[in-house]
Amino acid sequence: MRLSRYFLPVLKETPAEAQIVSHRLMLRAGMIRQQAAGIYSWLPLGLRVLRRIEAIVHEEQQRVGHIPVLMPTLQPADLWRESGRYDAYGQEMLRIRDRHDRDLLYGPTNEEMITDIFRAHIGSYRDLPLTLYHIQWKFRDEIRPRFGVMRGREFLMKDGYNFDLDKYAAIHAYNRHMLSYLRTYERMGLTAIPMRAASGPIGGDDTHEFLVLASTGESEVFYDSAVTELRLGDRRIDHDDPAAVKAVCDEFTALYARTDETHDPELFAQLPEERRYHGRGIEVGQIFYFGTKYSEPMGATVTTPDGARVPVHMGSHGIGVSRLVGAIIEASHDERGIIWPEGVAPFHVGIVNVKQGDHGADSACEGILNALTARGLEPLYDDREERAGAKFATMDLIGLPWRITVGPRGLAKGQVELACRRTGEAEEMSPEAAVSRVAEAYGRA
Ligand code: 5CA
């Protein structure tokens, strides 16, 4: 992509309305525009990051056998009357009436609708286990939308729902979700800690939230600092083996880690003092097991091998896809701007031409652009007639992991500069070597 033909409305001034760094940087980097309280347009750069996050979520869901569907944003109120949540959900639910006076709502979550799909098409244990998920916009009329996309009213969520014959199988689905979430967040460069939590309006007995530690987080958290060292890495785990999956979950939940809702000061006090941490976190996901809470009132039943008819055991599992864009920035930035982890970067690498219009520099940049593209990478080439300083500032602000700088002085020695946004390290090398190094960083060597 050539910046001269792109739409990247960066702001020079720090927007006064933004209280936290991720919101400020998203506005300054031209990623989003607020259209109403808690409702945003996604501008091209922001949309690219959102799509990268969605792609990782899809891949990790499908890796463990979950099946994508797409349910609508608008739902008939009658479904929610069946579960009893239409009145219970309160003012957070946006209620709509159509021209025929039928009650609709903009979905805040989809337990009822997915249960309706299930009961219409499935009636036997032979079709279980089944997990369906989608990535769709939600609306919750939050009393205090704030912090940009972190607490929006309209926001993008991945929500998935498992259907199982009994509690044992449903707990395996719960654990499988925990495992896949750990991998999902790691791929985004995040440490997200599963913490025992409270279930709120979704209901149920078992629930964990996934928290990214950040001083600006809205949740109060208490944890054993050793929990921050745990990594899934690239170990291979058979997601169909309940014992293998449970062993991983046990490893990640054995250490003390809780939100204020479930915090137990006495248990916490038993930790060695130097490992006792109390801080704040951003909730980027939550998983729930709630058994037959929806299947029973809504009549979602299956026949068992011995001919009985029982309500299915369910759980629901959410990832805050749009919130993650803000959470990643909270976890990864410096005073100059965003530092995208490679897994979610909007462009893989920036090319800065320090002397636009110089024949040698222009043609070297074109060559690098083509070579990167041929390797399947997506570069952003700053080909504007701008001072070099302004180009560097833009690149630092938008946070691409790598930058290749091209100018006549280096080219006279056959060299360009490759710089890493995270470490600030820069090295001179041939254009070919710079292309190879970037390709290597993304596993496309
Ligand atoms: N039905 C369940 C699981 S699918 C559910 O709705 N869970 S939830 O309420 O915990 O939401 C899932 C995730 O969506 C949260 O962990 C959070 O990351 C994100 N989320 C919730 N509310 C908002 C909001 N107002 N703005 C941005 N993201 C949100």
Side-chain angles (χ1 to χ4, degrees):
M1 179 61 65
R2 287 162 210 275
L3 193 44
S4 65
R5 297 186 203 160
Y6 199 48
F7 177 49
L8 184 71
V10 297
L11 305 180
K12 291 229 165 50
E13 306 300 321
T14 298
E17 76 271 24
Q19 299 166 36
I20 61 170
V21 66
S22 59
H23 189 195
R24 281 198 291 275
L25 288 173
M26 286 183 76
L27 291 169
R28 283 191 50 214
M31 293 175 66
I32 51 169
R33 175 169 177 79
Q34 181 172 309
Q35 308 290 179
I39 300 178
Y40 292 87
S41 288
W42 290 79
L43 304 181
L45 193 77
L47 182 61
R48 276 183 166 262
V49 178
L50 193 66
R51 292 283 181 251
R52 296 251 198 246
I53 292 173
E54 273 186 273
I56 291 176
V57 171
H58 274 300
E59 279 175 33
E60 293 306 325
Q61 286 302 300
Q62 290 172 43
R63 186 197 300 277
V64 296
H66 302 164
I67 302 169
V69 294
L70 184 59
M71 292 176 269
T73 53
L74 294 188
Q75 306 186 20
D78 281 344
L79 271 183
W80 288 65
R81 292 194 175 104
E82 285 188 58
S83 72
R85 278 208 296 183
Y86 188 62
D87 294 323
Y89 216 95
Q91 291 203 302
E92 267 194 23
M93 179 186 281
L94 179 64
R95 294 155 208 261
I96 302 163
R97 185 158 288 165
D98 73 11
R99 67 201 297 167
H100 302 294
D101 272 345
R102 279 185 289 247
D103 290 326
L104 300 171
L105 56 100
Y106 194 127
T109 175
N110 286 58
E111 280 79 5
E112 284 79 358
M113 187 169 277
I114 201 83
T115 305
D116 176 62
I117 292 172
F118 181 90
R119 71 181 170 185
H121 299 287
I122 291 188
S124 161
Y125 74 92
R126 287 195 195 85
D127 297 320
L128 305 182
L130 180 71
T131 294
L132 302 172
Y133 78 94
H134 71 163
I135 298 181
Q136 177 61 292
W137 294 93
K138 303 289 185 287
F139 195 94
R140 292 182 186 173
D141 204 351
E142 300 275 355
I143 190 160
R144 266 210 304 159
R146 57 181 186 158
F147 300 159
V149 300
M150 294 267 242
R151 181 160 298 278
R153 291 197 297 164
E154 190 184 44
F155 59 97
L156 192 59
M157 193 202 285
K158 170 265 161 183
D159 41 323
Y161 306 85
N162 67 287
F163 300 91
D164 288 278
L165 186 56
D166 54 25
K167 179 167 181 179
Y168 174 81
I171 293 292
H172 170 54
Y174 181 91
N175 290 339
R176 193 179 60 231
H177 276 89
M178 184 179 291
L179 173 75
S180 75
Y181 279 25
L182 290 170
R183 202 186 289 282
T184 301
Y185 299 125
E186 278 188 20
R187 279 188 62 186
M188 296 174 190
L190 289 174
T191 305
I193 304 166
M195 297 199 181
R196 198 189 290 205
S199 65
I202 308 293
D205 316 323
D206 285 295
T207 180
H208 280 86
E209 288 178 359
F210 291 77
L211 286 116
V212 172
L213 299 175
S215 58
T216 48
E218 291 186 289
S219 310
E220 198 178 1
V221 296
F222 300 82
Y223 59 98
D224 179 337
S225 60
V227 80
T228 61
E229 307 294 321
L230 298 173
R231 292 286 177 283
L232 209 51
D234 53 10
R235 44 183 135 159
R236 291 184 169 275
I237 302 143
D238 177 0
H239 58 78
D240 284 328
D241 176 350
V245 173
K246 180 173 184 300
V248 177
C249 295
D250 288 349
E251 180 188 334
F252 278 82
T253 55
L255 294 166
Y256 191 92
R258 298 197 185 184
T259 64
D260 55 349
E261 293 157 332
T262 57
H263 178 53
D264 178 341
E266 272 175 41
L267 260 183
F268 189 58
Q270 290 170 19
L271 295 178
E273 199 177 343
E274 69 281 5
R275 282 176 27 197
R276 235 180 276 155
Y277 275 68
H278 170 203
R280 304 198 71 81
I282 303 166
E283 180 205 322
V284 292
Q286 186 163 9
I287 54 177
F288 301 84
Y289 164 72
F290 45 68
T292 60
K293 178 177 174 190
Y294 299 91
S295 58
E296 216 167 295
M298 294 185 67
T301 58
V302 289
T303 51
T304 63
D306 44 20
R309 232 184 147 81
V310 295
V312 280
H313 282 252
M314 294 173 57
S316 71
H317 315 276
I319 292 181
V321 174
S322 49
R323 175 178 288 182
L324 272 166
V325 181
I328 292 168
I329 298 174
E330 288 295 326
S332 187
H333 66 270
D334 63 14
E335 64 295 342
R336 287 176 295 149
I338 304 166
I339 305 174
W340 291 116
E342 280 163 354
V344 299
F347 292 95
H348 295 115
V349 50
I351 305 169
V352 169
N353 186 343
V354 298
K355 195 145 192 216
Q356 206 69 46
D358 174 273
H359 178 69
D362 291 0
S363 72
C365 286
E366 296 291 334
I368 292 169
L369 182 66
N370 292 336
L372 289 164
T373 311
R375 302 248 195 161
L377 294 168
E378 294 175 77
L380 178 66
Y381 171 26
D382 191 345
D383 60 342
R384 297 169 305 159
E385 305 282 346
E386 272 280 2
R387 288 181 300 110
K391 292 188 175 187
F392 290 139
T394 300
M395 281 297 170
D396 284 344
L397 173 63
I398 68 171
L400 307 184
W402 298 95
R403 187 189 72 205
I404 299 175
T405 306
V406 181
R409 214 175 302 155
L411 285 175
K413 299 177 287 174
Q415 291 189 323
V416 298
E417 183 198 76
L418 177 67
C420 172
R421 177 70 180 86
R422 186 173 297 282
T423 63
E425 282 163 22
E427 212 183 307
E428 306 242 303
M429 60 188 78
S430 70
E432 296 75 25
V435 168
S436 294
R437 284 273 288 277
V438 174
E440 238 167 70
Y442 290 98
R444 315 218 178 168

